[in-house]
Amino acid sequence: MKLVVATPLELVVDADDVREVRAEDPTGLFGVRPGHAAFLTVLVPSVLRWTTDRARYVAVRGGVLSVRGDRVDVATREAVVGDVLDALEGEVLRRFAEADEQERVARTRAARLEVEAVRRIALGLRARP
């Protein structure tokens, strides 16, 4: 089987000879092996595990998983690959916290711009004769 995990900016995993993929959707954990029926599901934020000659992991921030033939494709907003599950946890927490902080800052800036725009419109309306 072939496994491809991609984000909008990069191809994170491109693995051949995959024996099994374990992932999680809203209904719980599930597995995919060669010969699996066509399948499409939405993933929850979780750790996807795949096995070739050893187990590998990729943390995904949700996404969509599709199975077609002997190919598993995952499209996700963000992904972090790791060989050791414990080390991956720390890296994921750090990256996701950083992304959350950047998103919070962007929302705060957008709100300030909106307030400033409303203030200027109000001042412009008051200045009219």
Side-chain angles (χ1 to χ4, degrees):
M1 227 174 21
K2 181 172 184 69
L3 171 65
V4 174
V5 178
T7 70
L9 300 176
E10 67 180 317
L11 181 63
V12 180
V13 175
D14 187 3
D16 294 311
D17 300 325
V18 174
R19 288 185 252 165
E20 181 183 35
V21 175
R22 303 272 305 158
E24 185 176 356
D25 67 7
T27 64
L29 290 171
F30 62 91
V32 177
R33 291 190 175 166
H36 196 286
F39 183 64
L40 179 67
T41 191
V42 175
L43 299 175
V44 296
S46 57
V47 175
L48 184 142
R49 178 182 149 224
W50 78 94
T51 308
T52 53
D53 56 337
R54 63 191 166 106
R56 302 276 321 268
Y57 306 93
V58 60
V60 295
R61 195 170 199 158
V64 176
L65 179 141
S66 67
V67 178
R68 289 173 294 157
D70 274 349
R71 182 179 170 109
V72 178
D73 290 297
V74 176
T76 182
R77 193 172 85 174
E78 191 173 359
V80 181
V81 177
D83 290 325
V84 179
L85 195 54
D86 292 338
L88 180 61
E89 178 183 22
E91 178 66 13
V92 167
L93 291 174
R94 184 191 66 75
R95 282 194 191 186
F96 287 1
E98 184 179 292
D100 287 343
E101 177 62 16
Q102 289 173 352
E103 191 173 311
R104 187 193 65 75
V105 167
R107 278 195 312 270
T108 301
R109 288 180 181 160
R112 286 182 182 154
L113 286 172
E114 184 177 340
V115 167
E116 180 63 19
V118 169
R119 186 184 73 76
R120 288 181 185 227
I121 289 170
L123 286 173
L125 291 173
R126 281 190 218 148
R128 288 184 169 181

